[in-house]
Amino acid sequence: MKLILLGAPGAGKGTQAEILSRMCSIPTISTGNILRAAMKNGTPIGLKAKEYVESGKLVPDDVIIGIVRERLAEPDCEKGYILDGVPRTIPQAQALEDEGVEIDTALSIEISDEEIIRRMSGRRTCSSCSATFHVVSNPPKVQGICDVCGGELIIRKDDAPETVKARLEVYHAETEPLKDFYKSRGKLISVENQPTIEATTEVIMKALGL
């Protein structure tokens, strides 16, 4: 299965990607995690990306496509993969097609802007391993401490309300048109966000016929 997850920032793409990855035994390719690692390590590509991410803007296409192309060439992607966070624009989607990157399904998680803003304000990210939690829907066992590695949980700058609003504006202008792009290719499936992570997983599994 070669799957793209679409949806606004905070729609739960990363969480659902992790669940599907375990169930289907295929890797999740999260450009967000790759970029955050590069930013934390202060690599040239990380420093370039940082100024865009912190202002709520999209990282340039050539940076994103280069990262994805390298990752998909690794052996663990031979049986399929889940793309989370890419493509974000029609030019990126076209560039992936031009590179021969095959996609079976583009799954869009539908959710309102109001719910996104409420949800993102409760999100916490591990400063060490980038695992994500939520104070209401997915709290850590110990407040402020990562279940995975014991690192400190922080509010990322791009989860702050003013940055979330900027990211939503970018999403509606530049990323949402991807739904029509994949619909025209007969590859779009849309599901409504549900009140719990488990319920959302259930509707996704049903939609994918798994």
Side-chain angles (χ1 to χ4, degrees):
M1 180 173 66
K2 296 171 181 176
L3 178 69
I4 287 176
L5 290 182
L6 300 176
K13 299 184 298 298
T15 299
Q16 295 301 329
E18 286 178 19
I19 294 168
L20 288 169
S21 175
R22 287 197 303 271
M23 293 176 121
C24 301
S25 299
I26 55 176
T28 295
I29 313 302
S30 170
T31 50
N33 286 346
I34 295 169
L35 287 171
R36 277 193 287 277
M39 289 189 288
K40 185 177 178 181
N41 295 332
T43 64
I45 200 169
L47 294 173
K48 186 177 178 183
K50 188 172 184 179
E51 58 185 279
Y52 290 93
V53 172
E54 290 191 344
S55 61
K57 295 178 182 175
L58 294 176
V59 178
D61 287 359
D62 58 333
V63 176
I64 296 292
I65 300 302
I67 287 174
V68 173
R69 189 193 306 114
E70 288 180 2
R71 181 66 185 85
L72 295 184
E74 294 181 19
D76 63 337
C77 292
E78 286 180 3
K79 295 181 180 178
Y81 43 79
I82 301 167
L83 290 179
D84 170 26
V86 65
R88 284 187 172 171
T89 63
I90 287 177
Q92 281 185 7
Q94 192 63 61
L96 286 173
E97 279 194 358
D98 294 345
E99 288 287 334
V101 176
E102 297 178 8
I103 298 301
D104 299 323
T105 303
L107 182 85
S108 177
I109 302 174
E110 305 296 332
I111 185 170
S112 70
D113 286 6
E114 293 74 23
E115 174 65 15
I116 290 286
I117 293 168
R118 185 193 68 75
R119 178 182 287 187
M120 297 280 268
S121 66
R123 188 151 82 171
R124 302 292 182 269
T125 303
C126 178
S127 57
S128 298
C129 74
S130 297
T132 57
F133 300 85
H134 193 278
V135 294
V136 177
S137 63
N138 183 32
K141 292 176 180 138
V142 179
Q143 185 176 337
I145 303 296
C146 175
D147 292 355
V148 179
C149 74
E152 179 190 4
L153 297 183
I154 59 170
I155 300 174
R156 283 169 35 207
K157 185 169 181 180
D158 48 343
D159 288 339
E162 62 275 11
T163 310
V164 172
K165 288 176 184 174
R167 292 172 72 198
L168 284 170
E169 287 176 10
V170 171
Y171 167 75
H172 290 305
E174 299 189 26
T175 304
E176 201 164 28
L178 281 172
K179 291 196 285 187
D180 286 336
F181 179 91
Y182 287 110
K183 186 177 181 180
S184 71
R185 286 155 173 74
K187 296 183 176 181
L188 180 71
I189 295 176
S190 296
V191 297
E192 291 294 329
N193 171 69
Q194 303 297 311
T196 67
I197 291 171
E198 293 77 15
T200 302
T201 301
E202 194 173 322
V203 297
I204 289 174
M205 297 295 281
K206 188 175 179 181
L208 293 175
L210 297 174

